[in-house]
Amino acid sequence: MAVSGTLIRPNQYFSSCVNTPSPRFNPSCRKQFCLKASAENTDSEERKLTRKEKDGGWKIEYTAEKPATPLLDTINYPAHMKNLSTQDLKQLAAELRMDIVHSVSQTGGHLSSSLGVVELSVALHHVFSTPDDKIIWDVGHQAYPHKILTGRRSKMHTMRKTSGLAGFPKRDESVHDAFGVGHSSTSISAGLGMAVARDLLGKNNNIISVIGDGAMTAGQAYEAMNNAGYLDSNLIVILNDNKQVSLPTATLDGPATPVGALSSALTKLQASTQFRKLREAAKSITKQIGGQTHEVAAKVDEYTRGMISASGSTLFEELGLYYIGPVDGHNVEDLVNILQRVKAMPAPGPVLIHIMTEKGKGYPPAEAAADRMHGVVKFDPLTGKQFKTKSPTLSYTRYFAESLIKEAETDEKIVAIHAAMGGGTGLNYFQKRFPDRCFDVGIAEQHAITFAAGLAAEGLKPFCAIYSSFLQRGYDQVVHDVDLQKLPVRFAMDRAGLVGADGPTHCGAFDITYMACLPNMVVMAPSDEAELMHMVATAAVIDDRPSCFRFPRGNGIGAVLPAHNKGTPIEIGKGRILMEGSRVAILGYGSIVQQCVGAANMLKTRDISVTVADARFCKPLDTELIKQLAKEHEILITVEEGSIGGFGSHVSHYLSLSGILDGPLKLRAMVLPDRYIDHGAPQDQLEEAGLSSRQISATVLSLLGRPKEALQFA
């Protein structure tokens, strides 16, 4: 169903305004701004757009048709926004909000974060001139309005699809994307680097870093602000404060209670009675003085640090940033005035503008939803109901959570830690069951790991659940604070391997390599959801060294689960044979084992009998199993959904040291290619990586000297 929004119709009193021939203002209409527009496929039915006088805002009525966006239709690039009036900008924001709901309802993606920065995006592109001026969006899931305004509106229907637009800013997608992102808290560091480079090169462009949605809880943001205050380069930092330091799926009951002292300070600042009184006084003074110049000046002065005595602003001032705020992030006029004033300052140094926004702003279903409709699949915008595909199995994430809960029910020492990803890691279920044993530390992976190390040092059994790609952010802590001290922290690495629509920023390609090289680490990977439950149980009993297990995004395969979802510990370093064959052995590691089984079944149709083994462990290796496979087969192929240097490298290293490679064995390692794979459908990504069942079959046929048959699979 094509879905969208329209702006509410005017009443009869203002009907004369609708029929004005002018596309701009009708001088006779002084109460409301009216505009006539038509939507596609509506039998010429008019769509009338009005703005209520009392608050100057636009009321959107979402319908089942493509929205009428007459003003947005004229905006292909930011240059087309420069001469728009304040009223035009407000209309543009309303149309942009409708367009986002329409496009995301058809593709899925990050909805509420983008809706929360519509007015900010409009104001930024009105005041500044990208790509000369640089706008850096922290995390990047809120960049849909930015993409629409920078020449990519016609491609929004391809968002996160194979060969389509990326879900995050991407430098090689547009010159308007100043810095590629996907992880958190990098914008101020990158912006400061660009500002210093600008100064050294003698340029005079503006650098704007937009940070928020929890990203201010990470240490890198404070390291960057501290350095920015010292270097004193001109840099604009916009703190998009939507009162969330965790993603809204942190708990089953909605957004988590803020976890940091910063949130408390900002809340005090927002609620300051003295600040509100001074702000009203500033408005009164402005009205008495009159004049546009005084209005702009008073608006800025109203928000500057001189008007604020609440604690909170001092935090940024002590770091050396000039503080302005809090500012209503949904008031385009205020945002434009303040940004213009800051832009005009001759040498302000680093400036922080603190804006208040609401995730999902302007779309009632998102505003009312417990998770704010943060990440969605296709949905009906009339109700916000998502068209979720029903699956006979749960996600691997959910199986992990259920298994961990069962372990914790019988072992009170088990605790769980996540970095602002309760929903993403499944620990929202654990938190509901054991609220005192689940810790959300904010977007702070380094702290999460060392915090877990401290828990382990005192005899608890911490499970640190962090996405594979996010664990990269805390690697020094994994090495120095955990593995070196041989502390039994258990790492549950979700989203291992290819991750579909989220693309290379979230792809868990490297964890096998970077974890298996550590001397004390036990490294496991389940081939299905039942094995995952057994590995949770295995990690729970490993109490003399650290351990980790990886599992993919997506749903289980329908394996028979252990009774009551409680796994049985596996013998450390022992794999298993799934299918017996001859001549060729395929040794899979992790969920890719299912592709190996699929390849074996394909090859049966060509009278080729293949042995398939599930390695289970990368470290320690099951050397007896590997030796057996190598000696009983002519060909041994290792398969993993990870980068070079991982499981296959460990196998080849063992075979080399043992002298087995000195014999007739043909050994091949199938790994992810040595490049980043763009977002797309999971099967498309697997094909591009060369790891599908067909491509494994083709490799076997090629090694057996049957190249023509191999081409039929390739």
Side-chain angles (χ1 to χ4, degrees), residues 330-412:
H330 299 301
N331 188 316
V332 174
E333 183 176 6
D334 286 4
L335 291 170
V336 168
N337 287 338
I338 290 168
L339 291 172
Q340 286 176 334
R341 184 65 180 268
V342 171
K343 179 182 177 182
M345 290 180 182
V351 176
L352 186 138
I353 304 173
H354 178 190
I355 71 169
M356 300 299 302
T357 63
E358 180 183 353
K359 291 190 76 165
K361 177 70 174 178
Y363 183 53
E367 293 176 345
D371 67 351
R372 296 285 191 259
M373 296 183 72
H374 173 78
V376 297
V377 296
K378 296 179 182 181
F379 64 92
D380 176 5
L382 294 174
T383 62
K385 182 179 180 181
Q386 299 183 50
F387 306 130
K388 294 183 178 180
T389 304
K390 291 185 178 179
S391 172
T393 62
L394 301 175
S395 68
Y396 276 94
T397 301
R398 183 67 181 274
Y399 288 120
F400 157 69
E402 295 297 332
S403 180
L404 186 60
I405 289 170
K406 288 299 180 182
E407 295 299 325
E409 286 176 349
T410 59
D411 190 341
E412 63 182 13

Side-chain angles (χ1 to χ4, degrees), residues 475 509-518 523 550 589 618-619 621 638-654 668-675:
Y475 188 60
F510 310 113
D511 59 90
I512 306 172
T513 301
Y514 70 65
M515 295 301 266
C517 67
L518 300 178
V523 184
R550 69 181 333 238
Y589 178 70
C618 179
K619 190 168 192 174
L621 286 173
T638 64
V639 188
E640 63 193 294
E641 201 171 320
S643 70
I644 188 172
F647 174 69
S649 295
H650 284 259
V651 171
S652 63
H653 183 66
Y654 164 72
R668 297 291 185 274
M670 299 186 71
V671 300
L672 290 176
D674 195 20
R675 56 183 168 81

